[in-house]
Structures are given as structure tokens and as C-alpha cells.
Amino acid sequence: MRPRTLVLAGAVACVALAAGCSDSPSPAPDQPREPRSAAPTQAAPPTQPPTQATEPAPAPQSAPRVAPDDVRVATAQAAVRHLAGRIGPRPGTSPAYFRAAAWVHDELAGLGWQVRRQRFRAPAGVSWGVPVPGGRSTNVIATRGDVRPGRPWLLVGAHLDTVPQAPGAEDNASGVGALLAVAEAAAARRTRLPVVLVAFGAEEPRGPTDADHHYGSRAYVASLPARERRALRGMVSLDRVGVGGTLPVGSVEAGDPLRAEVLAAARRAGVPTQAEDGQRSSDHWSFVRAGLPGVRLGSTPYAGYHSADDTPGVVEREQLERTARTVVAWLR
């Protein structure tokens, strides 16, 4: 975009490579989980389709359906503190970025999701006025074992990287935090369709044009087989979702049917929203430009944007909760 930890009963088959389960008991509601330290794991080669996985163990049909009240906003808050307060600036090809990716991998796997990495390369360039080196980056992809090739599915994503000078609390630890809160809520509960979660790398600009960012989501879309493309029913990008009193829901075109769907989900969750047209500045654009349905949540302006002032204190608990509740209502 430019201008903790969950409980699963099942695993997913569309996008998984590595999985792990946590035997740790769940904390009491709204008590932050202690972040796990994660050791990096071997990334999947970029040519491996995101639908390859071990034998799935999806949540039983008797499992309750996920609901907005299942969201623990403390999980999102803990992620913001860890990513922006402890790791700090994390450009998409930097060592700090890989520490962040390893941590997110461990958080998702600890909740029982099947998790894999997808390598890709990002070019050198200038990111918000600061030179950045090119090199390898990675997407972190999680599923629950219920995705089937050619069958309808949903995707929720958030970029994990930052510009070089920013700790990236709002941009975009807020989005990753909300993603983790959604993952926690949905881990052992049913959703209307199978769900894939992605923390994207190298979203931030590396040059002045529209073609100079969104590298992780572009690599992900390019790796999707044709059947998965046709079966995707919607992608929601969580990008700068921790500031403001209403939740922006943005689409490229006015009247976008997916945007209307998400706005309706927000109403069911009791979340005030504002619709935005012409929204291309997040990872949903990589999907839309490939003919796939995508919208963005978030984008309220704030003073610390792309600066050293983008610290955890910027992010508001209530807006994180609005975002995660909206996404869960959409997945329900």
C-alpha cells in the first residue's frame, strides 16, 4: 500500500506446505498471548502451486460457525507491539523482514494452520526516498486443509513489510494483527467457504510508478493455477486498519459487487464504514488487475504515515476490532 494466536481444528489444502500445532492452552478472553519466537523454515519454491498440501484434517461439520464475537482484539494488539515495537522497520528483502515472516509463520502454525512460504524476488529501488536492495522476499501462506482445487474459496491478506524509515505499526502491523485475530477466530470454526490467509512481502514501493510495488501479491497471483483463479470468490486486503472511527472499504470501481458484500458484512457486525472508489494502492490491486475480485479495508490518513512516528501508540484498539469483526462476518 502506498500514500495471537489461534486455535485450529483443521488444516487446509490449497496453499499449505509446513504445519504445526500448539498444545498451549488458550488464554482468557482479551488477555494478550506471549508472542512465540519462530525459527525460519525452508521456503517453498515459487513454482510450487499454492494448492499442494499434506492430507488435510478440516474442521468437522459439527463445529460452530465463526462469528464476529469470536474475535480477540488483544491478539491483534500483541502483533502490532511485536512487529512494530520489537522488530521495527522491515523492508521486504531485509533480515528484519525475514524475522517478521518467521514470527508470523510460527504464530499461524501454533494455531494449527498449515503454513508454507513462497519465495519470490523483488528488485532494488528507492522506497519512499530511501534506497533498498533487491533480493529474495517471501509470502507466508496459511490454510486449514479444506480448500479443494477448482472449488470456491476466499482469501484474506495483509502486507508484512514496511518502508525503511518506519516501524510500521499502522502500516502495516495493524493489518497483520487483524489477520492473526481472524485466523484465531476461524481456526476451529466453520466458514461459509474455505479460507486462505497470506502475509505478503515487498508490497511497499520500490520506485515511482504503479508497477514498482505489490511484488508479493503479484507473485502469488502469478503462481495460481487457472482452476484456482476461476474459483476465487473474493480477496480482502487489510492495509492500514488501525486508525479512524469508520472503516474504509475500497474498490477499484464503483458498484463493485465484492465491496457491496463486505459492506453488508460490516453492517451485520455493527461496524460503521465508508465506501471508496478508485482504490488501487494495496495488494488487492494485484488480483483485480488479473481479473479477480478484490477489495481493500483501511486507508484512513494519519500523521505518522511512512515515518519513524508510525509506532504502536498510533494504532487504536477499536479500529482493529472493527476490521477483524468485519472480516469474520464476511467469512461467516
Side-chain angles (χ1 to χ4, degrees), residues 11-149:
V12 180
C14 171
V15 190
L17 196 202
C21 294
S22 170
D23 295 324
S24 302
S26 297
D30 266 359
Q31 294 302 309
R33 297 173 185 256
E34 232 7 78
R36 284 183 277 266
S37 58
T41 59
Q42 180 63 36
T47 55
Q48 182 176 356
T51 51
Q52 293 185 358
T54 57
E55 281 299 310
Q61 289 302 305
S62 59
R65 191 173 292 275
V66 67
D69 286 349
D70 295 323
V71 168
R72 294 177 66 257
V73 69
T75 295
Q77 292 177 291
V80 171
R81 291 193 297 268
H82 184 79
L83 291 169
R86 295 186 62 183
I87 295 179
R90 46 196 183 278
T93 60
S94 68
Y97 177 79
F98 282 93
R99 290 196 298 273
W103 183 80
V104 170
H105 178 286
D106 186 65
E107 291 294 290
L108 290 166
L111 292 159
W113 292 72
Q114 295 180 345
V115 191
R116 75 176 179 92
R117 311 279 189 88
Q118 180 188 39
R119 290 189 185 125
F120 62 92
R121 295 193 67 81
V126 176
S127 185
W128 213 250
V130 180
V132 287
R136 180 172 60 97
S137 188
T138 189
N139 295 325
V140 181
I141 305 168
T143 62
R144 298 179 305 169
D146 53 351
V147 177
R148 297 291 184 271

Side-chain angles (χ1 to χ4, degrees), residues 139-238:
N139 295 325
V140 181
I141 305 168
T143 62
R144 298 179 305 169
D146 53 351
V147 177
R148 297 291 184 271
R151 303 293 298 272
W153 57 291
L154 303 170
L155 188 147
V156 183
H159 77 84
L160 181 56
D161 63 310
T162 69
V163 294
Q165 61 269 57
E170 169 68 343
D171 190 11
N172 188 38
S174 67
V176 176
L179 183 79
L180 290 173
V182 169
E184 181 177 53
R189 298 185 182 271
R190 290 184 296 126
T191 53
R192 61 188 173 92
L193 292 174
V195 178
V196 177
L197 306 175
V198 187
F200 292 111
E203 185 270 350
E204 293 289 5
R206 289 172 172 252
T209 75
D210 284 344
D212 295 320
H213 60 159
H214 306 146
Y215 294 98
S217 53
R218 285 159 57 184
Y220 180 86
V221 170
S223 75
L224 284 175
R227 292 179 70 193
E228 275 61 48
R229 291 182 181 229
R230 290 193 297 268
L232 178 63
R233 293 297 179 261
M235 183 275 180
V236 172
S237 177
L238 311 181

